[in-house]
Amino acid sequence: MYGNDIPEQPGTAGLLDEVAAAERDLAGRDHDASADPTAYFDAVIAADGKIEPRDEMPEAYRKGLIRQIAQHAHSEIIGMQPEGNWISRAPSLKRKAILLAKVQDEAGHGLYLYAAAETLGIDRAELYRLLLAGKQKYSSIFNYPTLTWADVGAVGWLVDGAAIVNQVPLCRCSYGPYARAMIRICKEESFHQRQGYEILYTLATGTPEQKAMAQDAVDRWWYPSLAMFGPPDTDSTHSAQSMAWKIKRFSNDDLRQKFVDMTVQQAGVLGLVLPDPGLSWNEERGHWDYTQPDYDELFTVIKGDGPCNRERMAHRQAAWDDGAWVREAAMAYAEKKKVTT
Ligand SMILES: [Fe+2]
Ligand SMILES: [Fe+2]
């Protein structure tokens, strides 16, 4: 799925084909929702179809989606910072060009997702305001620093890798604009994962110092990447309703397990060690046993006390302030056009 050297994972192979089939089903379905909107919503969800912006939907569905899509959009654009940090210091022109393209991709992901959220009747300026006011969150992972060049590899391999495992099932989520945005995002994320893997492979097969740098980066990024899947199922507040509405398809713990199983194999090819002495193959379960991340740390970071939370938000606030003249100029231009046409 994500390249020749990365084997297909159970449960994710052929997903895009399934999305295409679901879209065909939807196109063939009678769209008369006027008779009983609630029954229509329930029927579409039950039939694995897509809810579209024009359809009636429960208020909690709409609000929950806004929360989730906004958090996702914020993560994409805040996630530009730790890697943007290395654009000017990439070790070659080729590496610089690749990283620049990757960081630009993340801006594009933010754009698709803010646009998807807007179809639910909220303005992106309002979402931005909520982010800057600390009322909406972004992924905790982006509050960790990128200390060496190898971190750019580890972020691509582990963070984008975890994002893919989380996001491929969202290509099938019940809200049409979100599902369609995710298809393109996942295709681009797979490039990101591969470029990170390739950076680490180059370092891991280089000098002993380079290999040590790669290992150090993996040591620091492993547990925060596991924490990206959120709290354990027993403590996850939004999961049950999200699964009933077919926004979420797998539980946090199932996705985390999928990621561990996939990554252990890839670490073997890299010749790097995942920093978990508890990792062992469980024949009975058919999965790797692993040590859970420190969820207290996760909650500390979510609450705003991670290593880089303040820096990330200050940077975002400065970008908003510095961009004021662009927004004002665009509005003035739009007004002028309105008058002259
Ligand atoms: Fe992304
Ligand atoms: Fe990415």
Side-chain angles (χ1 to χ4, degrees):
M1 174 172 59
Y2 305 124
N4 304 336
D5 51 350
I6 301 175
E8 291 194 345
Q9 295 308 304
T12 52
L15 203 48
L16 292 181
D17 292 338
E18 286 181 46
V19 173
E23 295 287 338
R24 280 195 298 277
D25 280 358
L26 180 70
R29 193 173 302 132
D30 176 15
H31 249 79
D32 183 15
S34 55
D36 182 349
T38 310
Y40 177 79
F41 176 86
D42 291 343
V44 171
I45 298 290
D48 251 349
K50 294 278 181 281
I51 298 297
E52 296 296 338
R54 63 178 175 261
D55 297 331
E56 297 255 1
M57 59 190 88
E59 192 52 16
Y61 177 85
R62 195 181 71 84
K63 283 207 170 131
L65 271 173
I66 289 176
R67 182 192 58 79
Q68 179 171 341
I69 301 174
Q71 180 169 321
H72 195 161
H74 299 328
S75 302
E76 298 286 356
I77 60 164
I78 297 276
M80 295 167 72
Q81 292 184 41
E83 291 179 288
N85 176 36
W86 279 92
I87 292 173
S88 61
R89 292 176 290 162
S92 70
L93 183 58
K94 184 180 152 202
R95 296 284 184 202
K96 192 191 292 274
I98 294 170
L99 185 57
L100 194 58
K102 189 206 174 210
V103 174
Q104 282 179 326
D105 280 355
E106 306 300 5
H109 298 173
L111 182 65
Y112 315 152
L113 290 164
Y114 284 121
E118 283 190 312
T119 66
L120 291 157
I122 190 157
D123 191 82
R124 81 180 67 178
E126 171 64 3
L127 297 175
Y128 224 79
R129 193 189 64 74
L130 291 167
L131 168 69
L132 293 174
K135 294 199 169 135
Q136 284 183 339
K137 305 282 182 212
Y138 56 90
S139 177
S140 60
I141 192 79
F142 300 119
N143 291 309
Y144 290 87
T146 41
L147 302 178
T148 69
W149 171 250
D151 285 33
V152 175
V155 168
W157 178 41
L158 297 174
V159 176
D160 289 276
I164 290 168
V165 172
N166 245 326
Q167 292 173 5
V168 165
L170 288 172
C171 298
R172 288 176 59 204
C173 106
S174 60
Y175 188 59
Y178 192 24
R180 290 188 288 273
M182 290 319 301
I183 292 173
R184 180 158 173 189
I185 289 175
C186 284
K187 285 185 180 170
E188 293 177 351
E189 293 299 354
S190 72
F191 278 111
H192 299 174
Q193 200 242 8
R194 285 179 60 77
Q195 66 86 37
Y197 191 81
E198 198 265 338
I199 288 172
L200 283 185
Y201 188 80
T202 303
L203 293 172
T205 54
T207 64
E209 289 81 4
Q210 286 173 320
K211 185 168 184 181
M213 187 164 77
Q215 183 63 57
D216 169 61
V218 170
D219 289 348
R220 285 181 288 106
W221 286 93
W222 173 245
Y223 284 108
S225 302
L226 287 188
M228 280 176 73
F229 295 92
D233 293 347
T234 41
D235 299 340
S236 182
T237 40
H238 302 291
S239 279
Q241 183 61 77
S242 238
M243 287 178 88
W245 276 332
K246 297 186 179 164
I247 295 169
K248 208 175 155 97
R249 299 277 174 165
F250 301 98
S251 75
N252 292 356
D253 289 337
D254 285 351
L255 291 168
R256 196 171 0 250
Q257 181 72 62
K258 227 181 263 259
F259 175 70
V260 170
D261 291 349
M262 174 177 104
T263 310
V264 169
Q265 210 175 5
Q266 294 171 6
V269 177
L270 287 174
L272 296 175
V273 180
L274 296 174
D276 179 3
L279 262 181
S280 65
W281 176 250
N282 185 321
E283 193 65 55
E284 206 176 303
R285 292 197 311 121
H287 292 291
W288 287 86
D289 289 337
Y290 63 98
T291 306
Q292 294 289 323
D294 178 350
Y295 292 110
D296 289 341
E297 178 181 318
L298 172 67
F299 286 116
T300 303
V301 179
I302 288 175
K303 281 187 197 129
D305 272 330
C308 300
N309 290 58
R310 285 165 193 84
E311 186 186 327
R312 301 289 184 243
M313 289 304 286
H315 187 90
R316 205 17 64 195
Q317 180 68 58
W320 176 255
D321 296 343
D322 292 348
W325 71 272
V326 179
R327 292 190 299 277
E328 281 161 22
M331 292 305 287
Y333 181 71
E335 281 299 318
K336 201 167 138 192
K337 274 200 95 179
K338 229 193 283 174
V339 174
T340 54
T341 50

